[in-house]
Short mmCIF file of all heavy atoms in Angstrom, two decimals:
data_model
loop_
_atom_site.label_atom_id
_atom_site.label_comp_id
_atom_site.label_asym_id
_atom_site.label_seq_id
_atom_site.Cartn_x
_atom_site.Cartn_y
_atom_site.Cartn_z
N MET W 5 -104.60 -37.03 32.72
CA MET W 5 -103.69 -37.19 31.56
C MET W 5 -104.17 -36.30 30.42
O MET W 5 -105.35 -36.17 30.18
CB MET W 5 -103.66 -38.66 31.14
CG MET W 5 -102.67 -38.91 30.01
SD MET W 5 -102.52 -40.68 29.69
CE MET W 5 -101.74 -41.24 31.21
N ALA W 6 -103.25 -35.70 29.74
CA ALA W 6 -103.59 -34.80 28.64
C ALA W 6 -104.29 -35.56 27.52
O ALA W 6 -103.73 -36.47 26.95
CB ALA W 6 -102.35 -34.11 28.12
N GLY W 7 -105.49 -35.16 27.22
CA GLY W 7 -106.25 -35.89 26.22
C GLY W 7 -105.84 -35.57 24.80
O GLY W 7 -106.03 -36.38 23.91
N ASN W 8 -105.26 -34.42 24.61
CA ASN W 8 -104.94 -34.01 23.24
C ASN W 8 -103.63 -34.62 22.75
O ASN W 8 -103.44 -34.80 21.56
CB ASN W 8 -104.85 -32.50 23.15
CG ASN W 8 -106.23 -31.87 23.30
OD1 ASN W 8 -107.24 -32.50 23.01
ND2 ASN W 8 -106.29 -30.65 23.78
N LEU W 9 -102.74 -34.91 23.66
CA LEU W 9 -101.49 -35.54 23.26
C LEU W 9 -101.66 -37.05 23.26
O LEU W 9 -102.41 -37.59 24.05
CB LEU W 9 -100.35 -35.16 24.21
CG LEU W 9 -99.82 -33.73 24.06
CD1 LEU W 9 -98.76 -33.47 25.11
CD2 LEU W 9 -99.25 -33.52 22.67
N GLY W 10 -100.94 -37.72 22.39
CA GLY W 10 -101.01 -39.16 22.34
C GLY W 10 -100.46 -39.76 23.62
O GLY W 10 -99.44 -39.32 24.13
N ALA W 11 -101.14 -40.76 24.13
CA ALA W 11 -100.70 -41.40 25.37
C ALA W 11 -99.27 -41.90 25.29
O ALA W 11 -98.54 -41.81 26.28
CB ALA W 11 -101.66 -42.54 25.73
N PRO W 12 -98.83 -42.45 24.15
CA PRO W 12 -97.47 -42.99 24.10
C PRO W 12 -96.37 -41.98 24.35
O PRO W 12 -95.24 -42.37 24.61
CB PRO W 12 -97.36 -43.57 22.69
CG PRO W 12 -98.76 -43.89 22.31
CD PRO W 12 -99.59 -42.79 22.94
N VAL W 13 -96.67 -40.69 24.26
CA VAL W 13 -95.62 -39.71 24.52
C VAL W 13 -95.99 -38.75 25.65
O VAL W 13 -95.15 -38.00 26.12
CB VAL W 13 -95.29 -38.89 23.26
CG1 VAL W 13 -94.75 -39.80 22.18
CG2 VAL W 13 -96.49 -38.12 22.78
N ALA W 14 -97.25 -38.78 26.10
CA ALA W 14 -97.70 -37.78 27.04
C ALA W 14 -97.34 -38.11 28.48
O ALA W 14 -97.20 -37.22 29.31
CB ALA W 14 -99.22 -37.60 26.92
N ALA W 15 -97.18 -39.38 28.80
CA ALA W 15 -97.00 -39.77 30.19
C ALA W 15 -95.64 -39.33 30.73
O ALA W 15 -95.53 -38.87 31.85
CB ALA W 15 -97.15 -41.28 30.33
N GLY W 16 -94.60 -39.52 29.93
CA GLY W 16 -93.29 -39.06 30.36
C GLY W 16 -92.63 -39.93 31.41
O GLY W 16 -91.72 -39.48 32.09
N VAL W 17 -93.09 -41.19 31.56
CA VAL W 17 -92.45 -42.08 32.53
C VAL W 17 -91.11 -42.55 31.99
O VAL W 17 -90.10 -42.55 32.69
CB VAL W 17 -93.36 -43.28 32.83
CG1 VAL W 17 -92.66 -44.25 33.78
CG2 VAL W 17 -94.68 -42.81 33.41
N TYR W 18 -91.11 -42.94 30.73
CA TYR W 18 -89.88 -43.36 30.07
C TYR W 18 -89.48 -42.33 29.04
O TYR W 18 -90.34 -41.69 28.42
CB TYR W 18 -90.08 -44.71 29.37
CG TYR W 18 -90.28 -45.86 30.32
CD1 TYR W 18 -91.57 -46.23 30.69
CD2 TYR W 18 -89.20 -46.55 30.84
CE1 TYR W 18 -91.77 -47.28 31.57
CE2 TYR W 18 -89.39 -47.60 31.71
CZ TYR W 18 -90.67 -47.96 32.08
OH TYR W 18 -90.87 -49.00 32.94
N ASN W 19 -88.18 -42.21 28.84
CA ASN W 19 -87.70 -41.36 27.75
C ASN W 19 -88.10 -42.03 26.44
O ASN W 19 -87.76 -43.19 26.19
CB ASN W 19 -86.18 -41.23 27.85
CG ASN W 19 -85.63 -40.29 26.79
OD1 ASN W 19 -85.77 -40.55 25.60
ND2 ASN W 19 -85.01 -39.23 27.23
N VAL W 20 -88.81 -41.29 25.60
CA VAL W 20 -89.37 -41.89 24.39
C VAL W 20 -88.31 -42.18 23.34
O VAL W 20 -88.59 -42.82 22.33
CB VAL W 20 -90.48 -41.02 23.78
CG1 VAL W 20 -91.66 -40.90 24.73
CG2 VAL W 20 -89.95 -39.64 23.41
N TYR W 21 -87.10 -41.71 23.55
CA TYR W 21 -86.03 -41.98 22.58
C TYR W 21 -85.08 -43.06 23.06
O TYR W 21 -84.56 -43.84 22.28
CB TYR W 21 -85.24 -40.70 22.29
CG TYR W 21 -86.10 -39.63 21.71
CD1 TYR W 21 -86.34 -38.44 22.37
CD2 TYR W 21 -86.70 -39.83 20.46
CE1 TYR W 21 -87.15 -37.47 21.83
CE2 TYR W 21 -87.51 -38.87 19.91
CZ TYR W 21 -87.73 -37.68 20.60
OH TYR W 21 -88.54 -36.73 20.06
N THR W 22 -84.82 -43.10 24.36
CA THR W 22 -83.82 -44.04 24.87
C THR W 22 -84.44 -45.22 25.60
O THR W 22 -83.81 -46.25 25.76
CB THR W 22 -82.87 -43.33 25.84
OG1 THR W 22 -83.59 -42.95 27.00
CG2 THR W 22 -82.25 -42.11 25.19
N GLY W 23 -85.69 -45.07 26.06
CA GLY W 23 -86.34 -46.13 26.81
C GLY W 23 -85.94 -46.16 28.27
O GLY W 23 -86.43 -46.98 29.04
N GLU W 24 -85.07 -45.26 28.68
CA GLU W 24 -84.69 -45.20 30.08
C GLU W 24 -85.75 -44.40 30.85
O GLU W 24 -86.51 -43.64 30.27
CB GLU W 24 -83.33 -44.52 30.22
CG GLU W 24 -82.22 -45.31 29.54
CD GLU W 24 -80.89 -44.57 29.56
OE1 GLU W 24 -80.89 -43.37 29.88
OE2 GLU W 24 -79.87 -45.21 29.26
N LEU W 25 -85.75 -44.57 32.15
CA LEU W 25 -86.66 -43.76 32.95
C LEU W 25 -86.38 -42.28 32.70
O LEU W 25 -85.22 -41.85 32.67
CB LEU W 25 -86.50 -44.08 34.43
CG LEU W 25 -87.11 -45.43 34.85
CD1 LEU W 25 -86.76 -45.73 36.30
CD2 LEU W 25 -88.62 -45.41 34.68
N ALA W 26 -87.46 -41.54 32.53
CA ALA W 26 -87.29 -40.15 32.14
C ALA W 26 -86.59 -39.34 33.22
O ALA W 26 -85.78 -38.47 32.93
CB ALA W 26 -88.65 -39.53 31.82
N GLY W 27 -86.89 -39.62 34.47
CA GLY W 27 -86.25 -38.89 35.55
C GLY W 27 -86.54 -37.41 35.44
O GLY W 27 -87.68 -37.00 35.32
N THR W 28 -85.50 -36.63 35.46
CA THR W 28 -85.68 -35.19 35.41
C THR W 28 -85.74 -34.68 33.97
O THR W 28 -86.02 -33.52 33.75
CB THR W 28 -84.53 -34.47 36.13
OG1 THR W 28 -83.31 -34.85 35.53
CG2 THR W 28 -84.51 -34.84 37.61
N VAL W 29 -85.46 -35.56 33.03
CA VAL W 29 -85.45 -35.14 31.64
C VAL W 29 -86.78 -35.52 31.01
O VAL W 29 -87.03 -36.67 30.70
CB VAL W 29 -84.30 -35.81 30.86
CG1 VAL W 29 -84.30 -35.34 29.41
CG2 VAL W 29 -82.97 -35.49 31.54
N THR W 30 -87.64 -34.55 30.86
CA THR W 30 -88.95 -34.80 30.25
C THR W 30 -88.95 -34.26 28.83
O THR W 30 -88.72 -33.08 28.62
CB THR W 30 -90.06 -34.10 31.04
OG1 THR W 30 -90.04 -34.57 32.38
CG2 THR W 30 -91.42 -34.38 30.42
N PRO W 31 -89.18 -35.14 27.87
CA PRO W 31 -89.22 -34.66 26.50
C PRO W 31 -90.34 -33.65 26.30
O PRO W 31 -91.43 -33.84 26.81
CB PRO W 31 -89.46 -35.92 25.67
CG PRO W 31 -89.69 -37.01 26.62
CD PRO W 31 -89.45 -36.55 28.02
N THR W 32 -90.04 -32.61 25.60
CA THR W 32 -91.05 -31.59 25.34
C THR W 32 -91.69 -31.83 23.99
O THR W 32 -91.21 -32.64 23.21
CB THR W 32 -90.42 -30.20 25.37
OG1 THR W 32 -89.47 -30.11 24.32
CG2 THR W 32 -89.73 -29.94 26.69
N ALA W 33 -92.73 -31.11 23.71
CA ALA W 33 -93.46 -31.33 22.46
C ALA W 33 -92.59 -30.99 21.26
O ALA W 33 -92.71 -31.61 20.21
CB ALA W 33 -94.72 -30.49 22.44
N ALA W 34 -91.70 -30.03 21.41
CA ALA W 34 -90.93 -29.59 20.25
C ALA W 34 -90.01 -30.68 19.69
O ALA W 34 -90.12 -31.03 18.53
CB ALA W 34 -90.13 -28.34 20.60
N PRO W 35 -89.12 -31.26 20.50
CA PRO W 35 -88.27 -32.31 19.94
C PRO W 35 -89.06 -33.55 19.57
O PRO W 35 -88.71 -34.23 18.60
CB PRO W 35 -87.26 -32.60 21.05
CG PRO W 35 -87.85 -32.03 22.28
CD PRO W 35 -88.73 -30.90 21.85
N VAL W 36 -90.10 -33.85 20.31
CA VAL W 36 -90.91 -35.01 19.97
C VAL W 36 -91.54 -34.83 18.60
O VAL W 36 -91.66 -35.76 17.83
CB VAL W 36 -92.01 -35.23 21.03
CG1 VAL W 36 -93.04 -36.25 20.53
CG2 VAL W 36 -91.37 -35.72 22.32
N GLY W 37 -91.90 -33.60 18.28
CA GLY W 37 -92.52 -33.37 16.99
C GLY W 37 -91.54 -33.48 15.84
O GLY W 37 -91.93 -33.76 14.71
N LEU W 38 -90.26 -33.27 16.13
CA LEU W 38 -89.28 -33.28 15.07
C LEU W 38 -88.75 -34.68 14.78
O LEU W 38 -88.39 -35.00 13.66
CB LEU W 38 -88.10 -32.37 15.44
CG LEU W 38 -88.44 -30.89 15.52
CD1 LEU W 38 -87.23 -30.10 16.00
CD2 LEU W 38 -88.90 -30.37 14.17
N GLU W 39 -88.69 -35.50 15.80
CA GLU W 39 -88.13 -36.83 15.61
C GLU W 39 -89.07 -37.86 16.20
O GLU W 39 -89.61 -37.65 17.28
CB GLU W 39 -86.77 -36.91 16.32
CG GLU W 39 -86.06 -38.22 16.10
CD GLU W 39 -84.69 -38.22 16.74
OE1 GLU W 39 -84.24 -37.14 17.14
OE2 GLU W 39 -84.10 -39.28 16.87
N PRO W 40 -89.32 -38.96 15.51
CA PRO W 40 -90.27 -39.94 16.03
C PRO W 40 -89.80 -40.53 17.34
O PRO W 40 -88.62 -40.87 17.48
CB PRO W 40 -90.30 -41.02 14.94
CG PRO W 40 -89.63 -40.46 13.76
CD PRO W 40 -88.76 -39.33 14.22
N PRO W 41 -90.69 -40.67 18.30
CA PRO W 41 -90.34 -41.40 19.52
C PRO W 41 -90.21 -42.88 19.22
O PRO W 41 -90.85 -43.38 18.30
CB PRO W 41 -91.54 -41.13 20.44
CG PRO W 41 -92.67 -40.88 19.51
CD PRO W 41 -92.07 -40.22 18.29
N ARG W 42 -89.38 -43.56 19.93
CA ARG W 42 -89.15 -44.99 19.66
C ARG W 42 -89.64 -45.88 20.78
O ARG W 42 -89.80 -47.08 20.61
CB ARG W 42 -87.66 -45.24 19.43
CG ARG W 42 -87.10 -44.30 18.37
CD ARG W 42 -85.70 -44.65 17.97
NE ARG W 42 -85.19 -43.65 17.03
CZ ARG W 42 -85.56 -43.58 15.75
NH1 ARG W 42 -86.43 -44.45 15.28
NH2 ARG W 42 -85.07 -42.66 14.96
N VAL W 43 -89.88 -45.28 21.92
CA VAL W 43 -90.29 -46.05 23.09
C VAL W 43 -91.55 -45.41 23.67
O VAL W 43 -91.65 -44.19 23.75
CB VAL W 43 -89.17 -46.04 24.15
CG1 VAL W 43 -89.61 -46.77 25.41
CG2 VAL W 43 -87.90 -46.67 23.58
N CYS W 44 -92.51 -46.25 24.05
CA CYS W 44 -93.74 -45.74 24.63
C CYS W 44 -93.47 -45.19 26.03
O CYS W 44 -92.89 -45.89 26.87
CB CYS W 44 -94.78 -46.87 24.67
SG CYS W 44 -96.34 -46.36 25.38
N ALA W 45 -93.88 -43.96 26.28
CA ALA W 45 -93.57 -43.31 27.55
C ALA W 45 -94.21 -43.99 28.76
O ALA W 45 -93.55 -44.18 29.77
CB ALA W 45 -93.96 -41.84 27.50
N PRO W 46 -95.50 -44.38 28.70
CA PRO W 46 -96.11 -44.98 29.90
C PRO W 46 -95.64 -46.39 30.20
O PRO W 46 -95.64 -46.79 31.36
CB PRO W 46 -97.61 -44.95 29.61
CG PRO W 46 -97.78 -44.55 28.22
CD PRO W 46 -96.48 -44.01 27.69
N CYS W 47 -95.25 -47.18 29.20
CA CYS W 47 -94.97 -48.59 29.48
C CYS W 47 -93.57 -49.02 29.07
O CYS W 47 -93.12 -50.10 29.43
CB CYS W 47 -96.01 -49.48 28.81
SG CYS W 47 -95.87 -49.57 27.02
N GLY W 48 -92.84 -48.21 28.33
CA GLY W 48 -91.47 -48.54 27.98
C GLY W 48 -91.34 -49.55 26.85
O GLY W 48 -90.23 -50.00 26.56
N ARG W 49 -92.45 -49.93 26.23
CA ARG W 49 -92.36 -50.83 25.09
C ARG W 49 -91.76 -50.11 23.89
O ARG W 49 -91.97 -48.91 23.71
CB ARG W 49 -93.77 -51.31 24.67
CG ARG W 49 -94.36 -52.33 25.60
CD ARG W 49 -95.83 -52.47 25.25
NE ARG W 49 -96.47 -53.48 26.10
CZ ARG W 49 -96.72 -54.72 25.69
NH1 ARG W 49 -96.40 -55.10 24.47
NH2 ARG W 49 -97.29 -55.57 26.50
N ARG W 50 -91.08 -50.86 23.06
CA ARG W 50 -90.59 -50.31 21.81
C ARG W 50 -91.76 -50.20 20.85
O ARG W 50 -92.51 -51.14 20.65
CB ARG W 50 -89.50 -51.21 21.23
CG ARG W 50 -88.84 -50.65 20.01
CD ARG W 50 -87.56 -51.38 19.74
NE ARG W 50 -86.54 -51.06 20.74
CZ ARG W 50 -85.75 -50.00 20.67
NH1 ARG W 50 -85.85 -49.16 19.66
NH2 ARG W 50 -84.86 -49.77 21.60
N MET W 51 -91.92 -49.05 20.25
CA MET W 51 -93.06 -48.82 19.38
C MET W 51 -92.69 -49.08 17.93
O MET W 51 -91.53 -48.99 17.53
CB MET W 51 -93.56 -47.38 19.54
CG MET W 51 -94.13 -47.10 20.91
SD MET W 51 -95.10 -45.59 20.97
CE MET W 51 -93.83 -44.36 20.80
N VAL W 52 -93.72 -49.37 17.14
CA VAL W 52 -93.56 -49.46 15.70
C VAL W 52 -93.56 -48.05 15.15
O VAL W 52 -94.50 -47.29 15.38
CB VAL W 52 -94.70 -50.28 15.06
CG1 VAL W 52 -94.56 -50.31 13.55
CG2 VAL W 52 -94.71 -51.69 15.63
N VAL W 53 -92.51 -47.67 14.46
CA VAL W 53 -92.38 -46.30 13.97
C VAL W 53 -92.37 -46.31 12.44
O VAL W 53 -91.71 -47.12 11.81
CB VAL W 53 -91.08 -45.66 14.48
CG1 VAL W 53 -90.93 -44.25 13.93
CG2 VAL W 53 -91.07 -45.64 16.00
N GLN W 54 -93.15 -45.40 11.87
CA GLN W 54 -93.22 -45.29 10.42
C GLN W 54 -93.01 -43.83 10.03
O GLN W 54 -93.72 -42.95 10.50
CB GLN W 54 -94.60 -45.76 9.94
CG GLN W 54 -94.82 -45.61 8.45
CD GLN W 54 -94.19 -46.76 7.69
OE1 GLN W 54 -94.46 -47.92 7.95
NE2 GLN W 54 -93.31 -46.45 6.76
N GLY W 55 -92.02 -43.60 9.20
CA GLY W 55 -91.82 -42.25 8.69
C GLY W 55 -92.73 -41.98 7.51
O GLY W 55 -93.06 -42.88 6.76
N ARG W 56 -93.14 -40.76 7.37
CA ARG W 56 -94.01 -40.36 6.27
C ARG W 56 -93.48 -39.08 5.68
O ARG W 56 -92.76 -38.34 6.35
CB ARG W 56 -95.45 -40.15 6.77
CG ARG W 56 -96.13 -41.41 7.22
CD ARG W 56 -97.36 -41.07 8.05
NE ARG W 56 -98.11 -39.97 7.46
CZ ARG W 56 -99.42 -39.98 7.28
NH1 ARG W 56 -100.14 -41.01 7.65
NH2 ARG W 56 -100.03 -38.95 6.78
N PRO W 57 -93.87 -38.78 4.44
CA PRO W 57 -93.37 -37.52 3.83
C PRO W 57 -93.74 -36.29 4.64
O PRO W 57 -92.99 -35.32 4.67
CB PRO W 57 -94.07 -37.50 2.46
CG PRO W 57 -94.36 -38.93 2.16
CD PRO W 57 -94.64 -39.59 3.51
N ASP W 58 -94.87 -36.34 5.33
CA ASP W 58 -95.32 -35.16 6.08
C ASP W 58 -95.13 -35.33 7.57
O ASP W 58 -95.69 -34.58 8.36
CB ASP W 58 -96.78 -34.87 5.75
CG ASP W 58 -97.69 -36.02 6.17
OD1 ASP W 58 -97.17 -37.14 6.41
OD2 ASP W 58 -98.91 -35.82 6.25
N GLY W 59 -94.36 -36.33 7.96
CA GLY W 59 -94.17 -36.50 9.40
C GLY W 59 -93.91 -37.96 9.74
O GLY W 59 -93.19 -38.65 9.06
N TRP W 60 -94.56 -38.45 10.81
CA TRP W 60 -94.33 -39.82 11.24
C TRP W 60 -95.49 -40.25 12.11
O TRP W 60 -96.27 -39.44 12.59
CB TRP W 60 -93.02 -39.92 12.04
CG TRP W 60 -92.92 -38.89 13.13
CD1 TRP W 60 -92.25 -37.70 13.07
CD2 TRP W 60 -93.55 -38.93 14.41
NE1 TRP W 60 -92.42 -37.02 14.24
CE2 TRP W 60 -93.19 -37.74 15.08
CE3 TRP W 60 -94.36 -39.85 15.07
CZ2 TRP W 60 -93.64 -37.46 16.37
CZ3 TRP W 60 -94.81 -39.57 16.36
CH2 TRP W 60 -94.44 -38.38 16.98
N TRP W 61 -95.58 -41.56 12.33
CA TRP W 61 -96.44 -42.03 13.41
C TRP W 61 -95.70 -43.15 14.13
O TRP W 61 -94.79 -43.78 13.60
CB TRP W 61 -97.81 -42.47 12.92
CG TRP W 61 -97.82 -43.53 11.86
CD1 TRP W 61 -98.02 -43.35 10.52
CD2 TRP W 61 -97.66 -44.96 12.05
NE1 TRP W 61 -97.97 -44.56 9.87
CE2 TRP W 61 -97.75 -45.56 10.78
CE3 TRP W 61 -97.45 -45.77 13.16
CZ2 TRP W 61 -97.63 -46.95 10.60
CZ3 TRP W 61 -97.32 -47.15 12.98
CH2 TRP W 61 -97.42 -47.72 11.72
N ALA W 62 -96.11 -43.37 15.36
CA ALA W 62 -95.53 -44.44 16.17
C ALA W 62 -96.66 -45.11 16.92
O ALA W 62 -97.59 -44.45 17.38
CB ALA W 62 -94.50 -43.86 17.15
N ARG W 63 -96.59 -46.45 17.03
CA ARG W 63 -97.70 -47.17 17.62
C ARG W 63 -97.24 -48.11 18.72
O ARG W 63 -96.32 -48.90 18.52
CB ARG W 63 -98.45 -47.96 16.54
CG ARG W 63 -99.73 -48.59 17.05
CD ARG W 63 -100.47 -49.31 15.95
NE ARG W 63 -99.77 -50.51 15.51
CZ ARG W 63 -99.38 -50.74 14.26
NH1 ARG W 63 -99.65 -49.88 13.31
NH2 ARG W 63 -98.74 -51.83 13.95
N CYS W 64 -97.89 -48.01 19.85
CA CYS W 64 -97.69 -48.96 20.94
C CYS W 64 -98.85 -49.94 20.91
O CYS W 64 -99.99 -49.54 20.73
CB CYS W 64 -97.66 -48.23 22.28
SG CYS W 64 -97.68 -49.35 23.70
N SER W 65 -98.55 -51.22 21.09
CA SER W 65 -99.61 -52.23 21.01
C SER W 65 -100.61 -52.08 22.15
O SER W 65 -101.72 -52.57 22.08
CB SER W 65 -99.00 -53.63 21.03
OG SER W 65 -98.26 -53.84 22.22
N ARG W 66 -100.23 -51.40 23.20
CA ARG W 66 -101.14 -51.23 24.33
C ARG W 66 -101.73 -49.83 24.42
O ARG W 66 -102.85 -49.66 24.91
CB ARG W 66 -100.41 -51.52 25.64
CG ARG W 66 -100.08 -52.99 25.80
CD ARG W 66 -99.42 -53.23 27.13
NE ARG W 66 -100.29 -52.88 28.25
CZ ARG W 66 -99.92 -52.93 29.52
NH1 ARG W 66 -98.71 -53.27 29.83
NH2 ARG W 66 -100.76 -52.61 30.47
N HIS W 67 -100.99 -48.83 23.97
CA HIS W 67 -101.44 -47.46 24.20
C HIS W 67 -101.86 -46.74 22.93
O HIS W 67 -102.21 -45.56 22.98
CB HIS W 67 -100.36 -46.67 24.93
CG HIS W 67 -100.12 -47.17 26.33
ND1 HIS W 67 -99.10 -48.01 26.64
CD2 HIS W 67 -100.82 -46.95 27.47
CE1 HIS W 67 -99.16 -48.30 27.95
NE2 HIS W 67 -100.19 -47.67 28.46
N GLY W 68 -101.79 -47.43 21.82
CA GLY W 68 -102.31 -46.83 20.61
C GLY W 68 -101.26 -46.04 19.84
O GLY W 68 -100.06 -46.13 20.10
N GLN W 69 -101.76 -45.29 18.88
CA GLN W 69 -100.89 -44.64 17.91
C GLN W 69 -100.83 -43.14 18.16
O GLN W 69 -101.81 -42.52 18.57
CB GLN W 69 -101.43 -44.92 16.51
CG GLN W 69 -100.59 -44.32 15.40
CD GLN W 69 -101.08 -44.81 14.04
OE1 GLN W 69 -101.31 -45.99 13.84
NE2 GLN W 69 -101.27 -43.89 13.11
N VAL W 70 -99.66 -42.59 17.91
CA VAL W 70 -99.49 -41.15 17.97
C VAL W 70 -98.73 -40.72 16.72
O VAL W 70 -97.88 -41.46 16.22
CB VAL W 70 -98.76 -40.71 19.25
CG1 VAL W 70 -97.35 -41.26 19.30
CG2 VAL W 70 -98.75 -39.20 19.37
N GLY W 71 -99.05 -39.55 16.23
CA GLY W 71 -98.37 -39.07 15.03
C GLY W 71 -97.88 -37.66 15.21
O GLY W 71 -98.29 -36.96 16.13
N SER W 72 -97.00 -37.25 14.31
CA SER W 72 -96.48 -35.90 14.40
C SER W 72 -97.59 -34.86 14.30
O SER W 72 -97.55 -33.81 14.94
CB SER W 72 -95.43 -35.66 13.32
OG SER W 72 -95.97 -35.94 12.04
N ALA W 73 -98.61 -35.18 13.52
CA ALA W 73 -99.72 -34.24 13.38
C ALA W 73 -100.45 -34.06 14.71
O ALA W 73 -100.94 -32.98 15.03
CB ALA W 73 -100.68 -34.74 12.31
N ASP W 74 -100.51 -35.16 15.51
CA ASP W 74 -101.18 -35.08 16.81
C ASP W 74 -100.46 -34.12 17.75
O ASP W 74 -101.03 -33.58 18.68
CB ASP W 74 -101.24 -36.47 17.45
CG ASP W 74 -102.02 -37.44 16.60
OD1 ASP W 74 -102.99 -37.01 15.95
OD2 ASP W 74 -101.67 -38.62 16.59
N LEU W 75 -99.17 -33.95 17.52
CA LEU W 75 -98.37 -33.09 18.40
C LEU W 75 -98.24 -31.69 17.84
O LEU W 75 -97.48 -30.89 18.33
CB LEU W 75 -96.99 -33.72 18.59
CG LEU W 75 -97.00 -35.12 19.17
CD1 LEU W 75 -95.58 -35.65 19.29
CD2 LEU W 75 -97.68 -35.13 20.53
N GLY W 76 -98.96 -31.40 16.77
CA GLY W 76 -98.92 -30.07 16.21
C GLY W 76 -97.66 -29.79 15.40
O GLY W 76 -97.28 -28.64 15.21
N ALA W 77 -97.03 -30.87 14.93
CA ALA W 77 -95.77 -30.69 14.20
C ALA W 77 -95.97 -30.52 12.71
O ALA W 77 -95.03 -30.26 11.99
CB ALA W 77 -94.85 -31.88 14.46
N ARG W 78 -97.20 -30.71 12.26
CA ARG W 78 -97.47 -30.59 10.83
C ARG W 78 -97.16 -29.17 10.36
O ARG W 78 -97.53 -28.20 10.99
CB ARG W 78 -98.91 -30.93 10.54
CG ARG W 78 -99.23 -30.93 9.06
CD ARG W 78 -100.69 -31.21 8.83
NE ARG W 78 -101.08 -32.55 9.29
CZ ARG W 78 -101.00 -33.63 8.53
NH1 ARG W 78 -100.56 -33.53 7.31
NH2 ARG W 78 -101.36 -34.79 9.01
N ARG W 79 -96.49 -29.06 9.26
CA ARG W 79 -96.13 -27.75 8.74
C ARG W 79 -97.00 -27.41 7.54
O ARG W 79 -97.36 -28.28 6.79
CB ARG W 79 -94.66 -27.74 8.30
CG ARG W 79 -93.73 -27.86 9.50
CD ARG W 79 -92.42 -28.45 9.08
NE ARG W 79 -91.85 -27.77 7.92
CZ ARG W 79 -90.93 -26.81 7.98
NH1 ARG W 79 -90.49 -26.46 9.15
NH2 ARG W 79 -90.44 -26.25 6.92
ZN1 LIG B 124 -97.46 -48.26 25.76
#
């Protein structure tokens, strides 16, 4: 598993926006960096999402927190 990307978005099992199985549609780093993910990719749980002036973070109770800065989206 990619250590540099947050686990909640790196696994790609579930679509991080819709919560459906990702299937052939794997979210890439670019759209993930622009819009907060709402669903944890490895487990499908709905994450706590917080917007910030410089980006966002999202937290899964099992897989931890990921932020836009972690995905290289910081401008
Ligand atoms: Zn999770």
Side-chain angles (χ1 to χ4, degrees):
M5 184 173 293
N8 290 334
L9 286 177
V13 297
V17 177
Y18 292 92
N19 183 298
V20 296
Y21 299 116
T22 67
E24 297 174 347
L25 285 174
T28 58
V29 181
T30 301
T32 63
V36 168
L38 294 176
E39 184 177 348
R42 308 189 184 285
V43 177
C44 180
C47 72
R49 285 168 178 259
R50 186 164 290 275
M51 294 195 290
V52 177
V53 178
Q54 177 81 55
R56 292 164 42 132
D58 62 344
W60 50 262
W61 56 259
R63 187 177 69 237
C64 171
S65 59
R66 290 182 63 184
H67 294 99
Q69 182 172 313
V70 63
S72 55
D74 298 327
L75 302 179
R78 184 183 296 273
R79 292 155 50 97

